[in-house]
Amino acid sequence: MQEIQTADRAAFAPGGGVDMANHVIAQSGLRIGFDRRRSRGAGVNPSGRFEPFARSAFDDGWATLDELPAFRTEVQVETPRTIISKNTSPDISFDRSINPYRGCEHGCVYCFARPTHAYMGLSPGLDFESKLFAKPNAAELLEDEISRRGYEPRSIAIGTNTDPYQPIEKTRRIMREILEVLEAAHHPVGIVTKSALVTRDIDILSRMAAKGLAKVALSVTTLDRRLARTMEPRAATPAKRLETVRQLSDAGIPTMVMTAPIIPGLTDHEIERLLEAAKEAGAREVGYVLLRLPLEVSPIFKDWLLQHYPDRYRHVLSLLRSMRDGKDYDAEWGKRMTGRGPYAQQIRRRFEIAAKRLELNLERTQLRTDLFRAPKGAGVQLSLL
């Protein structure tokens, strides 16, 4: 999105500013009209990076832009051949994960998973929030994969890419089916979500937690309802997420609050308040991740910031770049989650001091793997022949 790069240079140029930057984007035709993207996070819908063409809207004098329909949520069925994804990143604590859905209706403007929609020939912008893919055979695939000879159980992370409890889960119930398979096999699972819908499955999760097989993390980025509404338009409100932490904790399920991402100059002043709220809600552990802007996420986030918080645009980007070696993003392992430099160190110390004062992170929940028993499926039967 060359136009947004041009706008960014204009924002920092002598004699320029955010007004000039907004003008550049407005004239480019990239921005989608407010009525068409109401209650969505991204303000643009650029072509994916693998596409041979780019799209932009322009007024041809026939008022045809007024006739374009609003973005509505569409769900397609995806039937993958496998469901457990493996990773070898040293930055994260798990080596396998499941994603029941591709794309996410929550519409978090900063979501680092947005670029994955480009692999489907779709836009990481509004398409990511409105053109979703569901995997209804996920539970069946999972049962088959954990039944195979030689399978070694380790905690499966769910919600590390897109939210398994996004709105369409209410009717699709794919996550519920996955948990039923995991419970039957006594297989450990860790869940990350922004949704209160996770409380629907407290019955399963509490039984698994009693055996040391489940834990849940709620992502709470801000306590400011107005900011959350524009930044994470279809996710639960901050208060609702904290109430969800309370319900899970009361049910005996180990809970964690992730203040992720921390956005310098926009949400980092809330670190202490967020941890205090997490403690009060019953969370045992807390964690954070610094804002990540890989690939198309960078221009999408910049456009959002120019529209909603133009007065903070240069401050936010300047702080972020000071922690990313002058770049919007540094994907190097060991740096991408927390950044480096004086400001990154300040965030880290503030977080550690607040967590220590509140007696959080005294123990890390370790899930059990010794209870695992392979499901009675085709894989097990064949292994006896």
Side-chain angles (χ1 to χ4, degrees), residues 188-261:
V189 63
I191 299 169
V192 181
T193 182
K194 287 185 174 72
S195 175
L197 183 57
V198 66
T199 58
R200 178 201 64 189
D201 296 334
I202 277 182
D203 57 335
I204 297 178
L205 291 170
S206 61
R207 291 194 299 265
M208 294 183 72
K211 299 175 182 178
L213 297 172
K215 60 182 179 181
V216 179
L218 268 291
S219 174
V220 186
T221 51
T222 178
L223 298 177
D224 184 335
R225 286 175 57 95
R226 177 177 174 272
L227 173 57
R229 178 66 172 170
T230 60
M231 188 168 63
E232 309 154 335
R234 297 198 178 191
T237 64
K240 190 68 174 177
R241 287 180 233 178
L242 290 170
E243 176 57 29
T244 299
V245 171
R246 188 183 308 280
Q247 291 183 44
L248 293 169
S249 181
D250 288 348
I253 301 165
T255 56
M256 179 180 189
V257 166
M258 289 293 298
T259 57

Side-chain angles (χ1 to χ4, degrees), residues 2 22 24 34 42-43 51 56 61 72 85 91-92 154 168 174 179 206 216 249 295 298 310 319 321 358 377 383:
Q2 185 63 43
N22 266 311
V24 170
F34 177 76
E51 304 307 303
S56 61
R72 298 184 182 278
S85 300
D91 291 305
I92 49 184
R154 293 184 184 175
I168 58 173
I174 299 174
L179 288 178
S206 61
V216 179
S249 181
L295 301 170
S298 178
L319 288 175
R321 288 166 181 167
L358 295 167
S383 70

Side-chain angles (χ1 to χ4, degrees), residues 180-192:
E180 289 171 348
V181 171
L182 294 174
E183 182 186 22
H186 291 76
H187 195 297
V189 63
I191 299 169
V192 181

Side-chain angles (χ1 to χ4, degrees), residues 14 40 63-64 72 75 79 86 123 144 166 190 203 227 265 289 315 321 327 333 344 356 367:
R40 301 290 182 180
T64 51
R72 298 184 182 278
V75 185
T79 54
K86 300 291 185 66
S123 172
D144 177 65
Q166 58 180 289
D203 57 335
L227 173 57
V289 177
H315 185 52
R321 288 166 181 167
K327 299 175 289 187
W333 286 339
K356 183 177 181 180
L367 300 180

Side-chain angles (χ1 to χ4, degrees), residues 351-366:
F351 193 93
E352 291 172 349
I353 291 170
K356 183 177 181 180
R357 171 173 58 84
L358 295 167
E359 298 184 337
L360 294 164
N361 294 341
L362 296 181
E363 295 183 10
R364 294 289 186 179
T365 302
Q366 299 296 322

